[in-house]
Amino acid sequence: MQRIRLRYTKRGRLRFTSHRDFQRAFERALRRAEVPMAYSAGFTPHPKVSYANAAPTGTGSEAEYLEIGLSAPRDPATLRELLDASMPDGLDITDAVEARTSGLADRLQASVWELRLDQVEPVAARAAVAAFEAAETVEVQRRTKNGMRTFDARAAVVALEVADAPDEPGDRPSARPCAILRLVVRHETPAVRPDDVLSGLRVVADLAPPVPAAVTRLAQGPFDDETGTVTDPLAPDREAVEAAPSEGAPHAAAQATTAVGPA
């Protein structure tokens, strides 16, 4: 079985699709593109598709990942083009690589998020960020299926800063203020999400945006402690392919078929 790892996006209005909605759209795309899928054994076989750390409903993303198992080898670049053409605009397949290593889910150690806070003055956002970073702990609450849970939103945050707002279309900038936050957060248990950080900013500085924040994941992958950056989780597979280009699909079939696991 050949394994292919894919990177995909959730853009524009498609950010409001749930993970289940994406699964249905992707399975339809697999059928349209006539991808030779490998199937699980058992009474109700299903295509071998594994998703890793999907973004919450309502957030955009430039860096979602999944893995598929094929019953016959295919060129990853060609497969990406076929699948991308079969997906709705906004759910875009942007990268594909043959899996030559295991542990994709384990590499997703941190995420980079962008939070757009419309009608929030950048100076107020900077003051709130400074208060958040100065705090040793920032306790927030989130409702779960087992009730309200209190946890620290500060420990998992590696970096938080106010970025320059993008230029607005037209000859003059928008009259409405807008603060853009860039957030790097480790994937820990319990998971700290962007909305938890926003709750933390409300706790430490009473920062409460009047409209919901527009949240986008810009990247997720291994975290480099030396540089403080999030790197490409598909890089090890690309390097393995480049190191042994002549081995092709037979080499991939010989690899252990370690599942990525659900988000």
Side-chain angles (χ1 to χ4, degrees):
M1 182 179 68
Q2 184 188 32
R3 295 179 296 134
I4 303 293
R5 288 170 177 165
L6 303 170
R7 174 174 173 166
Y8 66 95
T9 71
K10 290 172 60 179
R11 295 169 173 160
R13 296 179 64 183
L14 273 298
R15 70 175 58 212
F16 297 104
T17 57
S18 68
H19 183 55
R20 182 58 188 148
D21 290 335
F22 176 83
Q23 288 178 310
R24 286 192 287 262
F26 185 67
E27 289 172 6
R28 286 194 296 269
L30 291 172
R31 292 192 294 270
R32 291 193 189 103
E34 299 181 346
V35 178
M37 292 296 299
Y39 282 78
S40 62
F43 185 72
T44 55
H46 57 274
K48 289 195 172 182
V49 183
S50 298
Y51 300 88
N53 198 39
T57 302
T59 63
S61 181
E62 295 295 316
E64 302 296 289
Y65 295 93
L66 61 83
E67 179 179 300
I68 60 177
L70 306 183
S71 60
R74 290 292 184 270
D75 174 63
T78 302
L79 182 64
R80 186 207 68 80
E81 292 178 0
L82 290 171
L83 286 172
D84 186 52
S86 301
M87 292 289 286
D89 291 340
L91 299 178
D92 306 314
I93 310 297
T94 59
D95 199 359
V97 63
E98 185 174 359
R100 296 289 186 91
T101 62
S102 61
L104 174 62
D106 293 336
R107 293 180 213 156
L108 303 182
Q109 301 169 351
S111 287
V112 181
W113 296 93
E114 180 180 275
L115 289 67
R116 181 185 176 99
L117 309 181
D118 285 307
Q119 301 183 40
V120 172
E121 293 285 353
V123 64
R126 290 190 181 92
V129 166
F132 185 93
E133 292 189 319
E136 292 186 6
T137 61
V138 179
E139 289 193 344
V140 300
Q141 290 186 322
R142 184 201 305 160
R143 184 174 297 281
T144 69
K145 61 181 180 181
N146 297 320
M148 294 298 293
R149 181 174 185 178
T150 301
F151 58 95
D152 178 22
R154 177 66 184 90
V157 176
V158 178
L160 178 61
E161 63 179 7
V162 180
D164 293 333
D167 294 333
E168 298 290 342
D171 296 333
R172 293 182 299 176
S174 172
R176 292 187 176 184
C178 176
I180 305 295
L181 305 186
R182 289 289 174 86
L183 167 69
V184 180
V185 60
R186 291 184 187 271
H187 299 166
E188 298 182 351
T189 303
V192 174
R193 307 184 307 201
D195 56 325
D196 298 323
V197 175
L198 290 174
S199 296
L201 294 174
R202 185 180 302 113
V203 168
V204 299
D206 198 28
L207 181 70
V211 296
V215 180
T216 302
R217 173 147 58 191
L218 302 180
Q220 65 170 323
F223 182 73
D224 188 324
D225 288 296
E226 292 185 2
T227 63
T229 58
V230 176
T231 60
D232 180 10
L234 301 184
D237 296 298
R238 264 189 281 271
E239 292 168 0
V241 170
E242 292 172 359
S246 62
E247 296 182 18
H251 175 86
Q255 300 296 311
T257 55
T258 304
V260 174

